[in-house]
Structures are given as C-alpha cells and as structure tokens.
Amino acid sequence: MLTLATTTPGEPEIFASLQGEGPSIGRPVAFVRLSRCNLSCTWCDTAYTWRFEGDNRPHRDGLAFERKANQLVLPEEEVAARIMALGQDRLVITGGEPLLQGAALARMVGLLSGMSVEIETNGTVAPHRALYPLVAQYNVSPKLPHSGNDPSMALIPERLSAWASEPKAWFKFVIAAPEQVEEVLALAAQYAIAPGRIYLMPEGTDSATLRAREAWLAPLALQNGLRLSDRMHIHLYGDTRGT
C-alpha cells in the first residue's frame, strides 16, 4: 500500500502536467505525490503532506492539516493503473519524501509499462534496493540551514557522499538569499559535485517573488558555472495542488 497526498478529500494527487523545475523542466509528465516527510522546511509549499494536526514542527504559515482529508492509502496496483491511464511516457514521483516508502514504491513502479521514472528526494534517505534499477533519474534537493531543519538531519554526510557518486542524481538547491549560494559551493567542494549537475532554484510561491530572486540568482549561477531552474508551474498555475 502507498500513502498519497490528495487534491481534494478522497482524491489522490495523481495528474498529468509539465514538469516545472529541474533537469526535465517543460517536459510533459505524469505526477504522483506521496504523503509524509522526515524533514520540515519552514517554507515548504506542500506542508499538507506532513504538517497534520498535532504536528508542531514550525512552518511559516502556521497551518495544520486534517490528516483524513489530506492523506489517502491505496494499493500499488490502483496507483499504477491511475498513472498509466494518464498516457504519459515519464513519471515524476514527489512528496513529501517519496523514499520513505521505498519498498511499496518499488512494487508500484514495477507494474508500470513503457515509462521512465524520476524521483524527487531531499537526499536523506537511501533508495530501496528493489527501487534503484527502476529509476532513471533522482532530483536530489538537500535542504540548507535556511530551511529551518537541523543540518545533522538534513545534510547527512554519508547520504550526500553517496548521492554525489550516483550518476543518476542531479542536485537542486532552494535559494532565498544570495549568501546561500556560497553554502552550495561549499557542499559541492566538500562532496565533489560537478557544477554542471547543480541547479539553483529560487524559493517562492508566486511569480513576483520568483522573478525578483532570479534577478540576482541568475548572475550568481553564471558566475559559478551552475544551472538555474525556474518554477514554471507557479507562473502557469499558481501555488495549487494537482498542477
């Protein structure tokens, strides 16, 4: 069984859209959003996947979500069937933190036919051994200290080292202030991550904020040989579920 996020109560967040960020930006894909996360970014735009009533981990909006309305458990077979019905040739698995459900995820992905799979992860959880050969790409987004997470939980040396040596992995760092690019460069040097595998992405959930931050982030990306990622889905659809 897989635990999924919902678009509306009782409806799993499984949909077709254009990938809005990272290496596959602009590409038509199927999406599935899983529920639960082991981290708690204060600016998380999908807090409905983890900040349920009774969870006091800090978030800038201070919202707590009712679990029953925002979380759904479905058999792997049903999830796979819904994904295949979207008619796409690529699947993006996001969250929450998808790798927390590695074994069930592997069973579900194994039921898909003719689809390439990419997984978005915060980089703290190792892929399940049965899942690894089924995945074409990992979008690893380590959380810097401005996320509000304890670095001992968010930036685990063993995991970062493993991801850095993983040819399927791309790195995507959320940036809210110029000085955070120096933190990215320090991690890249420490773990020998090639600049060409690193995307800088502005933090923001509205077009005005993203554009303002890209104005200073783009020159920093160019100066340091790093890639820049927009958040295209925000410009197209706003900060909404199922997009």
Side-chain angles (χ1 to χ4, degrees):
M1 304 288 278
L2 280 167
T3 304
L4 295 91
T6 63
T7 50
T8 57
E11 185 61 32
E13 195 166 357
I14 300 172
F15 59 99
S17 188
L18 300 174
Q19 170 65 297
E21 57 192 47
S24 303
I25 191 167
R27 184 168 184 166
V29 297
F31 275 94
V32 57
R33 186 178 302 281
L34 301 187
S35 188
R36 297 168 39 209
C37 192
N38 58 327
L39 298 183
S40 53
C41 299
T42 59
W43 35 254
C44 179
D45 61 354
T46 57
Y48 60 90
T49 66
W50 58 268
R51 200 173 192 274
F52 302 117
E53 293 172 349
D55 188 333
N56 295 318
R57 290 179 290 177
H59 189 272
R60 66 184 175 193
D61 293 338
L63 297 176
F65 297 87
E66 199 274 317
R67 185 184 295 271
K68 187 174 181 180
N70 291 278
Q71 193 177 79
L72 182 66
V73 178
L74 291 176
E76 293 93 330
E77 295 82 2
E78 181 175 346
V79 175
R82 286 174 177 256
I83 291 168
M84 292 297 296
L86 295 173
Q88 302 299 319
D89 64 1
R90 193 168 185 90
L91 171 66
V92 176
I93 302 169
T94 187
E97 174 46 59
L99 295 181
L100 292 175
Q101 302 186 57
L105 203 52
R107 291 192 293 271
M108 187 278 289
V109 172
L111 297 172
L112 302 176
S113 175
M115 297 189 78
S116 294
V117 176
E118 61 184 80
I119 293 181
E120 300 188 334
T121 175
N122 61 33
T124 65
V125 182
H128 191 279
R129 62 184 180 277
L131 181 63
Y132 178 82
L134 304 174
V135 176
Q137 178 178 308
Y138 291 95
N139 303 322
V140 184
S141 184
K143 305 310 179 189
L144 301 174
H146 75 93
S147 69
N149 292 289
D150 186 329
S152 68
M153 296 178 60
L155 300 171
I156 302 171
E158 177 186 358
R159 293 306 325 137
L160 288 174
S161 180
W163 286 120
S165 63
E166 171 51 62
K168 296 180 182 180
W170 296 81
F171 289 81
K172 182 179 64 182
F173 290 91
V174 177
I175 304 293
E179 59 269 19
Q180 291 155 12
V181 176
E182 292 299 321
E183 298 174 27
V184 173
L185 294 173
L187 288 171
Q190 181 178 355
Y191 294 102
I193 305 171
R197 298 171 64 197
I198 297 175
Y199 285 78
L200 303 179
M201 186 178 73
E203 189 277 316
T205 53
D206 63 85
S207 288
T209 299
L210 294 174
R211 292 303 186 217
R213 287 176 169 163
E214 285 171 344
W216 50 257
L217 189 54
L220 290 173
L222 179 60
Q223 176 185 329
N224 292 286
L226 307 176
R227 302 187 182 198
L228 179 69
S229 174
D230 198 2
R231 305 195 73 211
M232 187 179 70
H233 53 295
I234 297 295
H235 305 304
L236 292 175
Y237 312 112
D239 183 23
T240 55
R241 303 191 196 193
T243 58

